[in-house]
Amino acid sequence: LGEAIGKARGDKVLIATKGYMRMGPGVHDIGLSKQHLIKAVDDSLKRLGTDYIDLYQAHLYDACTPLEETLDTLDQLVKAGKIRYIGSSNFQAWQSMKAEAVAERRGFHRFISQQVYYSLLQRDMEMELMPFGADQGLGTLVWSPLSFGLLTGKYKRGRLQPEGSRLSHIQALGPVDHERLYHIETALEKIARERGKTIPQVAINWL
């Protein structure tokens, strides 16, 4: 992987990764503390076989670590040349705005992007995160644009969930409004048929 990425650098490929999740049994093997972030970034650089990461994202908000510590550490990592830009992932709007305020007050590098769960089935980000990003000038990266596979056309009324599907092994989605899903699938199917496209192509093009 490292060799492939090294070759890809010449083709302007952007490397983005995230830090927060548990990487060991220790108390500092999870979260956005200084100790964990520094080790996580160094480990990522080693695994990826690269000298720097283009975009490093705080995967979740860490209520156990002061934002000042997190942003100070990320700022130091940027100044050290290990990462180029920083972003957030799965932050609520108030958490992101608090991070912007801390960065401005302390003179730290600020988040330039937010990674959010957004799709035709899950549009909550339109309430606060989308206007927040537009107001503060943050780019948006969407994860799970097909809602864990629900917007692929495989899930229809009266049809059992496909065996071995990724959805059956993931708990992050939460409750699903199946009636709404079926209405969306019907509309996607109609548009896809009219344009000679697949249902996933239509769902992603909507984004």
Side-chain angles (χ1 to χ4, degrees), residues 78-143:
V78 171
K79 291 175 179 176
K82 295 183 177 182
I83 54 182
R84 297 290 172 88
Y85 298 97
I86 58 174
S88 65
S89 178
N90 299 314
F91 276 40
Q92 296 180 28
W94 72 266
Q95 295 166 341
S96 295
M97 193 64 241
K98 183 176 180 180
E100 293 295 297
V102 170
E104 182 177 1
R105 185 171 67 248
R106 299 289 298 274
F108 297 146
H109 283 84
R110 61 191 291 268
F111 291 145
I112 61 139
S113 64
Q114 56 177 345
Q115 187 179 47
V116 298
Y117 175 31
Y118 186 46
S119 71
L120 272 166
L121 186 62
Q122 177 55 264
R123 298 176 62 174
D124 287 356
M125 79 154 292
E126 294 174 4
M127 300 291 289
E128 290 193 357
L129 287 170
M130 188 178 287
F132 159 76
D135 180 72
Q136 294 298 309
L138 273 71
T140 295
L141 291 79
V142 171
W143 64 268

Side-chain angles (χ1 to χ4, degrees), residues 59-80:
H59 198 154
L60 294 165
Y61 184 81
D62 184 356
C64 296
T65 302
L67 263 174
E68 286 81 359
E69 178 179 337
T70 297
L71 292 172
D72 183 26
T73 303
L74 291 171
D75 188 72
Q76 292 177 38
L77 289 166
V78 171
K79 291 175 179 176

Side-chain angles (χ1 to χ4, degrees), residues 3-88:
E3 182 179 357
I5 290 175
K7 291 178 180 178
R9 280 292 190 188
D11 297 324
K12 309 292 187 186
V13 171
L14 184 146
I15 298 176
T17 188
K18 297 182 283 189
Y20 177 96
M21 298 306 187
R22 180 167 290 285
M23 300 300 287
V27 67
H28 291 295
D29 291 330
I30 186 173
L32 300 178
S33 68
K34 180 174 184 177
Q35 183 170 333
H36 180 62
L37 279 176
I38 290 175
K39 186 176 188 305
V41 168
D42 286 342
D43 288 347
S44 288
L45 291 171
K46 185 176 181 179
R47 284 193 301 268
L48 293 168
T50 182
D51 296 326
Y52 65 91
I53 295 164
D54 296 287
L55 175 64
Y56 195 80
Q57 300 158 101
H59 198 154
L60 294 165
Y61 184 81
D62 184 356
C64 296
T65 302
L67 263 174
E68 286 81 359
E69 178 179 337
T70 297
L71 292 172
D72 183 26
T73 303
L74 291 171
D75 188 72
Q76 292 177 38
L77 289 166
V78 171
K79 291 175 179 176
K82 295 183 177 182
I83 54 182
R84 297 290 172 88
Y85 298 97
I86 58 174
S88 65

